[in-house]
Amino acid sequence: MADNVTSLFRSTAAHSPSMAALARESDGTGPVDFCIPCNPYFPTPAMMDTMSARLRDIITYYPSSADTITAELCNLLQLPPQAVAMGNGSTELITWIDHLLVRESLAVPVPTFGRWTDQPMETGKRVDMFPLQESSGFSLDLAQYAEFIRARGTRVAVICNPNNPDGGFLHKHALVQFMDAMADLDLIIIDESFLEFADAEAEPSVVQEAMMRPNVIVLRSLGKNFGLHGIRFGYMVANPSLAGRVRSMLPKWNLNAFAEYVVFMLKEHGQEYSQSLHQVRRDRLDMASQLSSLPGLTVYPSQGNFLFVRLPVGAEGTVVRDRMLTEHRILVRECGNKIGSSSRFLRLVVRPQVDVRRLVSGLEQVLYGTRKGAAVPELSAGTNYSSGTAAVDRLVSATNGGGMPGLAAQALGTGMPGGFAAAAAAGTGMPTPIAAPMQTPTPMQLPAAMQSGGSGMQMPAAMTAQSYGGGGAQSYGGPGTQMQMPMQPQQPQPVPQPQIPQPQMQMQMQPPQMQQPQPPQQPQQPQQPMGQQPMVPQQPTPSGVPARNGLTAAQVRGTTGPGLTPAPATGWPAAQSWPNAAGMGQAG
C-alpha cells in the first residue's frame, strides 16, 4: 500500500497527486493535508450543510451566464464589471493572458507558482527567470528586478504578492513605484492569489491602480481564500480594454453552478469569512513558533497561508515527504521540482493547532528518530529518486528555459539568433559582455513623469541607464555603468548580424512592425531633458537565446557545467532582525 501511494508522486505531471487519487489508494479517506494552500475555516460547517441540501439542484441545472455571476461578485467587491473577468480558476486566466497579451518574453522571480514559468514556455515564449536568493530569505528586491528586466529586454513582468512558495510580501507603495518605472512594458501582472491572508498592511491590494493603468493586470483567487479548490473560480482586474480582451475569449458558461451558488451566498456570510482569515493569521504565528523549535529547521517569514521551511542538513525532501505520508498519513509539499528551489525545502500549509501538533510530532520522528537532533540520512550515491517530473522540468531540460526554439523568430519574420540592439547601436556588431559583480543595490528612484500622447495617463520619462539599465549601449556594459545582476556567467557570442531598426514603442498591445535590414548607423536621438539618457527601444530576442548575458533556467536551477556553479546555501542572515518567523508586521 505504501509503495502504491508514493508511486503516485512519480506518475503525475503535477507536483503532487490529487486528494482523490490518494484516497483511492488508501481506505477511501485522504491524509491530513499540509500541501494544498486552502482556508480550513471557510465555508463553515453550517454553510457546507446548506450546500449539501441543495446538491441535487446545483448539479442538475445549467448555471447562469458568466456575466451574471461576475456582476454579483463585482457588487460584493465594489468593482466595475467592465474591469473584471472571471475564470474557471486562475489558471484559465493565466492561460489566456499568455495567449493574448504575452508577445515574446516574460520575466518572473523564481521560485514561484509553476504556471508562470511553464505556461509561457509551452507557447514558445522566452522566460527570463530572476532568482530569489536563499541568503536574503527569498525576498524580492524590486530595483534589481527592474535592472534585470531592462538588461534582458523583457516585455512582460510578473510579481506574485505574497509569493508562492515562500510567502514573501511587498508593500503597496513599492509595487506602485515599480509600475511607474515599468510603465513602458507591454504588461505587468500582479498575482494577488494569497493576499487575503496578509496582515502586514491594512490595504495591500493594487486593484484600484490596475484599473487606471494601460498595462497592469491583478489576478485574484477565490478557491484558496474560500477553502474551495474544487470549485474552480478566480478573477482578474484591469482597465476595461484589457479585461474585455480576456473576457471576450471565455465561454459564456465557463463558470459552474457551484461557483454561482457560492458567489451568491457570500453576501450573507461576510462576517464568517473575515473571522476565518483572522484565525488563519493567528494559526500562522503558532505554527511558525512550533516548527522553529525543531533543531536545524529554518522557517522563513510568510504573509501567505503557508510556511516555507528548509530541512536540516542531510535531510532529503522526497524521503521526508514519503515517510510523512506512509507512516503518519500527512501530505506535505516537497519543493524539489520548483525552479529556484530544491528538495531541501518544504511548503507547509497553515492548519489548526491540533493538526500542527500532529505535523510536528511526525517531523520529529522522521527527521530525528529516537535521537532528537540526528537528521535522516541523505540518499546514497547513484540513487535515482524523482520528486515527480512536472511539465516545466521537461521543458527546461529540452530548451534551457528558452521555450520552443525558433517560434518567436518566425512570428517576427526574422532569423536573427539574438537581440543585440545595444551592440548594433554602438556600431560594433558584436555584443559587449557585462561586468556584473554583486553590489549593494541603490534604492529605486521614481522617474520623472511626462504626458503620453492623448491618453490622459501620466507616464514616466526615459529611465536613466544608471538607475535601470534601460538606456543606450551603456546599459549593457558600456563605460561608466555597472549592472547589478545576480550570477552572470559568460554566454557564447553569436555571429554578428546586421541591425534591424526598431519602430517607436507603442502602449497598444500589438506586435511590432519589423522593417527591412539596413546598414548599421547611429540613430538620431530626440532631444532629452538635461541629465537623462535617451531610452532605446529593446529589440526582441528569439526564443531559446540567452539575451544580453541574462540567466537561463538551467543556471537558475544551479546546473553544473562549463562556467556554471550552483550558488552556496548560506542560510538566513541576521535572523535576529525578524521578530517572528510568521512575518507579522514585517516590511517586504
Side-chain angles (χ1 to χ4, degrees):
M1 181 65 68
D3 290 339
N4 291 339
V5 172
T6 55
S7 67
L8 293 174
F9 288 92
R10 292 180 286 276
S11 62
T12 179
H15 61 75
S16 300
S18 68
M19 190 60 67
L22 290 170
R24 285 192 295 267
E25 290 294 338
S26 58
D27 58 2
T29 59
V32 179
D33 180 22
F34 280 90
C35 177
I36 307 302
C38 210
N39 184 346
Y41 299 110
F42 196 84
T44 63
M47 295 172 65
M48 285 292 193
D49 291 341
T50 302
M51 282 191 287
S52 297
R54 295 290 306 277
L55 177 62
R56 184 181 181 87
D57 290 341
I58 291 174
I59 66 176
T60 298
Y61 301 106
Y62 272 111
S64 300
S65 68
D67 290 342
T68 300
I69 303 173
T70 301
E72 175 65 15
L73 180 69
C74 290
N75 183 50
L76 292 172
L77 301 176
Q78 296 298 296
L79 293 172
Q82 299 87 349
V84 175
M86 285 192 72
N88 187 28
S90 59
T91 304
E92 180 180 53
L93 297 173
I94 292 173
T95 301
W96 279 113
I97 289 170
D98 171 54
H99 280 285
L100 296 174
L101 305 175
V102 181
R103 289 189 295 165
E104 66 96 30
S105 56
L106 177 144
V108 59
V110 291
T112 195
F113 178 47
R115 290 311 298 172
W116 286 122
T117 52
D118 57 6
Q119 170 63 42
M121 284 196 290
E122 289 168 2
T123 53
K125 315 295 172 47
R126 192 189 79 231
V127 180
D128 298 331
M129 305 185 200
F130 180 77
L132 302 177
Q133 300 298 321
E134 180 185 350
S135 59
S136 61
F138 298 97
S139 62
L140 174 59
D141 186 307
L142 287 176
Q144 289 186 343
Y145 187 38
E147 289 182 356
F148 175 80
I149 291 168
R150 293 302 186 198
R152 293 283 284 174
T154 320
R155 298 306 308 154
V156 175
V158 175
I159 296 174
C160 294
N161 189 42
N163 190 43
N164 173 13
D166 56 275
F169 177 80
L170 295 164
H171 283 276
K172 181 177 179 177
H173 70 86
L175 287 173
V176 172
Q177 187 180 31
F178 179 85
M179 290 188 287
D180 287 339
M182 299 285 108
D184 62 300
L185 296 186
D186 292 347
L187 193 64
I188 299 171
I189 304 161
I190 310 296
D191 188 338
E192 295 183 348
S193 291
F194 297 98
L195 194 63
E196 295 289 305
F197 301 104
D199 58 3
E201 192 171 7
E203 298 291 339
S205 178
V206 293
V207 290
Q208 297 297 327
E209 286 72 16
M211 290 189 293
M212 298 184 294
R213 294 172 182 267
N215 69 332
V216 176
I217 288 177
V218 170
L219 199 68
R220 304 297 298 270
S221 172
L222 295 174
K224 300 175 181 65
N225 304 335
F226 297 153
L228 296 168
H229 275 292
I231 302 177
R232 305 294 301 140
F233 58 161
Y235 65 99
M236 57 166 277
V237 182
N239 71 72
S241 176
L242 283 179
R245 288 190 66 184
V246 175
R247 195 168 54 243
S248 68
M249 301 303 296
L250 299 173
K252 186 176 182 65
W253 286 287
N254 71 314
L255 302 174
N256 60 67
F258 262 118
E260 177 181 14
Y261 186 83
V262 171
V263 168
F264 274 83
M265 73 185 299
L266 287 175
K267 58 188 173 185
E268 302 172 2
H269 299 281
Q271 183 177 358
E272 294 96 322
Y273 176 59
S274 296
Q275 290 174 347
S276 74
L277 297 178
H278 183 66
Q279 186 61 52
V280 169
R281 295 163 187 156
R282 289 196 298 182
D283 287 346
R284 183 173 62 206
L285 275 174
D286 174 77
M287 182 172 169
S289 176
Q290 292 197 47
L291 289 172
S292 297
S293 68
L294 297 177
L297 194 76
T298 303
V299 183
Y300 294 93
S302 173
Q303 282 285 292
N305 63 328
F306 46 80
L307 295 171
F308 197 47
V309 303
R310 189 183 68 200
L311 294 170
V313 175
E316 161 59 42
T318 53
V319 175
V320 173
R321 178 201 65 197
D322 288 357
R323 289 186 58 188
M324 289 293 289
L325 181 60
T326 57
E327 298 173 15
H328 302 279
R329 291 186 57 77
I330 294 174
L331 178 64
V332 300
R333 169 62 159 109
E334 177 266 324
C335 295
N337 67 343
K338 272 190 175 292
I339 297 177
S341 180
S342 74
S343 288
R344 285 200 64 192
F345 295 91
L346 303 179
R347 186 194 66 195
L348 302 172
V349 173
V350 173
R351 290 192 61 85
Q353 294 185 20
V354 61
D355 293 337
V356 173
R357 288 193 291 269
R358 180 173 172 179
L359 170 72
V360 172
S361 175
L363 285 173
E364 284 180 335
Q365 295 180 49
V366 170
L367 292 175
Y368 316 115
T370 56
R371 293 189 302 110
K372 193 171 183 179
V376 295
E378 293 186 359
L379 293 175
S380 59
T383 302
N384 183 17
Y385 195 100
S386 171
S387 62
T389 303
V392 65
D393 296 303
R394 295 192 296 272
L395 281 163
V396 169
S397 176
T399 69
N400 202 31
M404 307 309 295
L407 289 184
Q410 294 170 19
L412 293 170
T414 175
M416 288 188 68
F420 297 95
T428 63
M430 290 295 288
T432 304
I434 299 177
M438 288 297 294
Q439 300 179 3
T440 303
T442 57
M444 185 168 64
Q445 299 178 354
L446 185 64
M450 66 178 181
Q451 293 287 344
S452 64
S455 68
M457 298 293 295
Q458 290 290 334
M459 304 297 289
M463 272 62 74
T464 63
Q466 289 80 3
S467 297
Y468 298 104
Q474 287 185 356
S475 65
Y476 306 116
T481 301
Q482 284 188 320
M483 296 293 295
Q484 297 164 2
M485 298 282 290
M487 297 172 57
Q488 296 281 355
Q490 293 292 332
Q491 299 290 344
Q493 295 189 352
V495 177
Q497 298 290 335
Q499 178 192 15
I500 299 180
Q502 289 286 42
Q504 295 295 321
M505 288 189 297
Q506 303 291 335
M507 288 309 301
Q508 291 84 357
M509 298 295 177
Q510 59 185 9
Q513 299 295 326
M514 301 301 295
Q515 302 178 12
Q516 295 299 322
Q518 299 292 336
Q521 59 183 359
Q522 188 71 23
Q524 183 178 358
Q525 300 292 347
Q527 186 175 359
Q528 296 289 329
M530 184 68 66
Q532 291 190 345
Q533 295 289 339
M535 181 169 61
V536 178
Q538 303 290 345
Q539 178 172 335
T541 302
S543 61
V545 177
R548 303 182 182 94
N549 292 334
L551 294 175
T552 65
Q555 291 155 20
V556 171
R557 282 184 177 274
T559 302
T560 57
L564 301 179
T565 56
T570 54
W572 178 255
Q576 65 275 8
S577 64
W578 295 88
N580 60 74
M584 295 288 288
Q586 298 303 327

